[in-house]
Amino acid sequence: MNKLLSLFYLVFVFTTLSAQKQSVIEPAILECQYRHTMVLDTTINNPSKLEDLMILRMGENTSQFFSRYSYYADSLLNDPQGSKLFSQLTLEAVRTRDHSNRPGARTTHDYIYKRYPEGKITTTSTLHINHLIIFEEIYEPQNWIVTDSVKTIMNYDCQLAECNFRGRKYYAWYTPDIAISDGPWKFNGLPGLIMELYDKDKHYYYEIVGIYNTDIPPVTFYNPYNEQFEKMNRIDFLRAQRKSQENHFQQVKATLGIDLDSQDKAKTEIKRDFLEKDYHKK
């Protein structure tokens, strides 16, 4: 019976893990960089914010979206010497309570691939250290309403569109002058590139800061750890991620041997919700 149970467990593991390797998807034709800010505490006025630099890299058929800081941290952890530097910088940040030079995700550890595979959005992420997650969802445009409002961003004429998406109302400024139906995060479906995007309360804000069309790395599926991903669905992942974040301090103590005091906990206590709020639904 024990052998039978062991065999069943192995079959279960291999059918719920994805061994997708790091690989080039296609050449890139355009790369945009966005400054991303995220409110830390939505319960107070004038809250502090986290800031990130996001990369949107587009090919003819696919695109990817990720944090430059997360990619840098993953690159460090994939190298023995880099891993030592990662640990040193992390310990120093905790010791001094200055996290400005701490390697790692600022706002997200998600890598998002649109139309990869065709007709899908693939997201890879982590729940905690070395617990890699992958899930797919249908690739479809948001239900946009284009308004008459216009303004100029980086010398491009832009128009305002609105939509409701997974529990939030969003506003997007897009430019028809760059006829690529793409934008930050999972947004798409407008007749031009999204240059600026934010939710109604401005808890999450994306603002374009750079556009490049030469010397761009290819659109690449990243798996810097060369480890298997656990397959999940989006809703289960968000629920598990919330639980993981709530147990953040226990994870820091277990991993680094450092118990954060009440002052550090107060600074980083989660008082906001995710971009997607529909995981609350039963």
Side-chain angles (χ1 to χ4, degrees):
M1 178 62 70
N2 289 337
K3 289 183 179 180
L4 181 61
L5 289 175
S6 297
L7 178 60
F8 175 80
Y9 174 76
L10 287 173
V11 171
F12 171 78
V13 168
F14 284 118
T15 55
T16 56
L17 293 179
S18 173
Q20 198 159 3
K21 296 182 179 180
Q22 182 160 309
S23 59
V24 171
I25 299 173
E26 66 173 333
I29 60 173
L30 192 70
E31 178 173 299
C32 299
Q33 297 185 0
Y34 295 85
R35 181 185 298 110
H36 174 38
T37 55
M38 181 179 74
V39 169
L40 278 174
D41 188 342
T42 62
T43 65
I44 60 176
N45 294 323
N46 301 316
S48 58
K49 299 178 181 180
L50 291 176
E51 185 171 304
D52 212 333
L53 182 63
M54 309 302 295
I55 306 297
L56 174 63
R57 192 171 294 155
M58 293 160 279
E60 291 285 353
N61 303 298
T62 62
S63 68
Q64 63 182 140
F65 185 72
F66 59 95
S67 163
R68 189 182 73 171
Y69 292 106
S70 292
Y71 177 75
Y72 170 67
D74 288 340
S75 299
L76 286 180
L77 289 171
N78 194 39
D79 176 81
Q81 291 302 117
S83 184
K84 291 180 181 179
L85 177 59
F86 182 97
S87 298
Q88 293 170 358
L89 293 173
T90 301
L91 288 169
E92 182 66 13
V94 173
R95 185 185 67 80
T96 62
R97 299 178 186 168
D98 178 7
H99 295 268
S100 59
N101 293 320
R102 176 183 58 83
R106 294 292 191 267
T107 64
T108 181
H109 198 263
D110 294 356
Y111 291 77
I112 297 171
Y113 304 88
K114 297 174 190 168
R115 302 179 301 280
Y116 180 76
E118 185 177 356
K120 300 287 185 68
I121 295 178
T122 297
T123 300
T124 66
S125 192
T126 60
L127 286 177
H128 47 77
I129 296 174
N130 293 332
H131 188 178
L132 307 182
I133 303 298
I134 188 168
F135 60 90
E136 292 182 353
E137 57 192 287
I138 300 299
Y139 174 82
E140 56 187 0
Q142 287 73 32
N143 187 21
W144 295 104
I145 298 175
V146 177
T147 76
D148 295 329
S149 299
V150 295
K151 73 174 181 178
T152 301
I153 301 175
M154 291 183 62
N155 295 321
Y156 288 95
D157 293 330
C158 298
Q159 194 160 356
L160 179 65
E162 305 172 358
C163 77
N164 291 288
F165 186 61
R166 295 177 179 170
R168 293 183 185 273
K169 182 170 185 177
Y170 291 95
Y171 301 90
W173 291 93
Y174 72 95
T175 176
D177 295 339
I178 303 178
I180 296 178
S181 182
D182 213 329
W185 194 49
K186 299 178 182 180
F187 288 100
N188 68 96
L190 286 167
L193 178 70
I194 296 175
M195 307 286 280
E196 184 178 341
L197 183 136
Y198 47 89
D199 68 293
K200 177 173 66 70
D201 299 310
K202 295 187 177 179
H203 293 164
Y204 296 87
Y205 202 110
Y206 299 92
E207 178 185 12
I208 199 161
V209 293
I211 302 175
Y212 309 94
N213 57 15
T214 59
D215 300 323
I216 310 170
V219 178
T220 303
F221 181 86
Y222 289 124
N223 183 1
Y225 304 102
N226 291 316
E227 298 285 346
Q228 290 181 317
F229 294 97
E230 178 185 351
K231 291 185 177 180
M232 297 184 74
N233 65 56
R234 182 180 63 85
I235 295 295
D236 287 344
F237 168 72
L238 291 174
R239 290 172 178 168
Q241 188 181 47
R242 187 69 182 190
K243 184 176 181 180
S244 177
Q245 288 186 3
E246 289 169 350
N247 295 330
H248 167 72
F249 306 112
Q250 291 85 350
Q251 293 170 13
V252 170
K253 184 176 181 179
T255 303
L256 301 176
I258 297 174
D259 190 9
L260 300 181
D261 62 25
S262 58
Q263 183 177 357
D264 287 317
K265 291 179 180 179
K267 287 181 180 179
T268 55
E269 183 180 354
I270 300 169
K271 296 180 180 178
R272 66 180 184 280
D273 212 339
F274 296 142
L275 270 164
E276 298 166 293
K277 300 169 70 173
D278 58 340
Y279 72 97
H280 292 295
K281 298 179 181 178
K282 297 295 184 181

